[in-house]
Amino acid sequence: MTKKTPNTRFKRILLKVGGESMIGDREYGIDPKAALKVAKHIKDIYTMHVQIAIVIGGGNIFRGIAGEKNGVDRATADYMGMLATVMNGLALQDALEKIGVPTRMQSALLMPAVAESFIRRKAIRHMEKGRVVILAAGTGVPYVTTDTGASLHALELKCDVLMKATKVDGVYDKDPLKHADAKRYRTLNFKDAIEKADIQIMDTAALAMSQENNMPVMVFELFKNDNLVKAVRGEDIGTYLANDVKTELAV
Ligand code: UDP
């Protein structure tokens, strides 16, 4: 069965879900209730017939940089981080399937007992058949993060947009947690996003890749209302980054 064409602005999306979304009320690790919450938001857009690939992070369990600070070799620590994303991927797969969303998980590190290997054309076919594809282990190589994996996969899977769902409702001119007068950008030109040192969105490598290959990026809060639904409809939420927009603050 092939998926119906959706009546939305974006037909195929790459959704980057940070590991922190899986923590829930805990301080560390995976809370299955939080995974279910993420899954329900994804189901909302799945039922709109949008094709969905998800890159899942691992920061709730292990980040390579933190491992290195504690004396682990950086590359080894990064592989540990990639394994963390596989655990999150399995938790998200479990939650999605529990609520009736068919999935396939593909991993950039070979792990045949738990996931298919990442094969680009197969991932596309899964989406065409109406399966949500969960992409674990980022790029499969160290010294980068899952943001780079998200940017890379968005391009090779020919997604219309990279959606970075976070805990903050967009990109601000300064850290909104530290500055009460921080203002949100409604639109942000990639050039400004890369040049302005105060703006923290994703790795510079990931941003540069999106800029060079014209892959728009949307940044918004995943858990706020029906933000994900609004995002796929193309409504004005969070921050939209692209080459063909002027940098403007939200009013
Ligand atoms: N990682 C990596 N290569 C990749 C993706 C991830 O080495 O392509 C490692 C890296 O150590 C990273 C960790 O996996 O810190 C977890 O991913 P990330 O920090 O991106 O998770 P998130 O912040 O999205 O939860």
Side-chain angles (χ1 to χ4, degrees):
M1 201 182 79
T2 305
K3 215 167 157 83
K4 280 194 213 159
T5 305
N7 181 22
T8 48
R9 172 167 175 200
F10 303 115
K11 317 285 181 217
R12 178 182 294 166
I13 66 158
L14 189 299
L15 179 66
K16 160 73 207 290
V17 177
E20 63 190 13
S21 318
M22 309 291 275
I23 292 187
D25 297 330
R26 303 180 185 201
E27 283 182 7
Y28 162 87
I30 302 169
D31 177 354
K33 286 200 287 296
L36 200 59
K37 212 168 143 190
V38 175
K40 283 182 179 157
H41 284 287
I42 293 166
K43 186 174 182 176
D44 289 343
I45 56 164
Y46 172 78
T47 53
M48 293 163 77
H49 306 291
V50 175
Q51 294 186 14
I52 308 158
I54 301 166
V55 166
I56 182 92
N60 54 321
I61 302 171
F62 198 87
R63 279 204 177 94
I65 288 181
E68 188 184 33
K69 280 195 190 125
N70 289 306
V72 184
D73 171 78
R74 172 65 194 269
T76 303
D78 279 337
Y79 282 110
M80 290 163 73
M82 285 183 253
L83 293 180
T85 73
V86 177
M87 290 175 64
N88 280 334
L90 287 172
L92 184 59
Q93 178 170 46
D94 178 74
L96 282 165
E97 300 252 336
K98 280 211 169 82
I99 56 171
V101 178
T103 65
R104 290 292 184 272
M105 181 154 111
Q106 295 198 341
S107 171
L109 290 178
L110 295 188
M111 220 170 288
V114 293
E116 293 177 359
S117 300
F118 176 71
I119 298 173
R120 187 181 77 88
R121 292 172 60 117
K122 212 165 161 185
I124 291 174
R125 191 70 194 122
H126 284 320
M127 286 192 281
E128 287 171 350
K129 284 188 169 174
R131 298 168 187 145
V132 171
V133 181
I134 300 168
L135 299 165
T139 61
V141 295
Y143 294 95
V144 288
T145 70
T146 50
D147 282 347
T148 303
S151 189
L152 197 66
H153 285 317
L155 289 164
E156 63 181 334
L157 297 177
K158 305 204 182 312
C159 295
D160 302 318
V161 64
L162 191 177
M163 294 188 175
K164 178 162 168 152
T166 67
K167 280 200 323 206
V168 197
D169 67 343
V171 181
Y172 282 74
D173 59 349
K174 44 195 160 187
D175 186 346
L177 301 174
K178 291 187 191 144
H179 304 273
D181 61 341
K183 292 191 184 68
R184 177 172 60 86
Y185 289 105
R186 189 177 78 85
T187 49
L188 189 51
N189 189 283
F190 276 131
K191 196 167 172 285
D192 291 330
I194 291 169
E195 281 171 7
K196 288 185 202 283
D198 286 345
I199 302 181
Q200 287 289 327
I201 310 159
M202 56 209 295
D203 300 352
T204 315
L207 264 184
M209 203 189 301
S210 301
Q211 178 193 33
E212 270 171 33
N213 298 284
N214 265 320
M215 173 61 63
V217 176
M218 274 182 93
V219 182
F220 57 88
E221 193 178 340
L222 176 61
F223 290 130
K224 196 170 153 194
N225 307 323
D226 49 357
N227 258 358
L228 195 50
V229 169
K230 287 183 180 160
V232 298
R233 282 196 191 128
E235 288 181 33
D236 195 0
I237 58 152
T239 303
Y240 180 83
L241 293 97
N243 282 320
D244 58 356
V245 292
K246 284 205 183 102
T247 296
E248 275 175 12
L249 291 167
V251 280

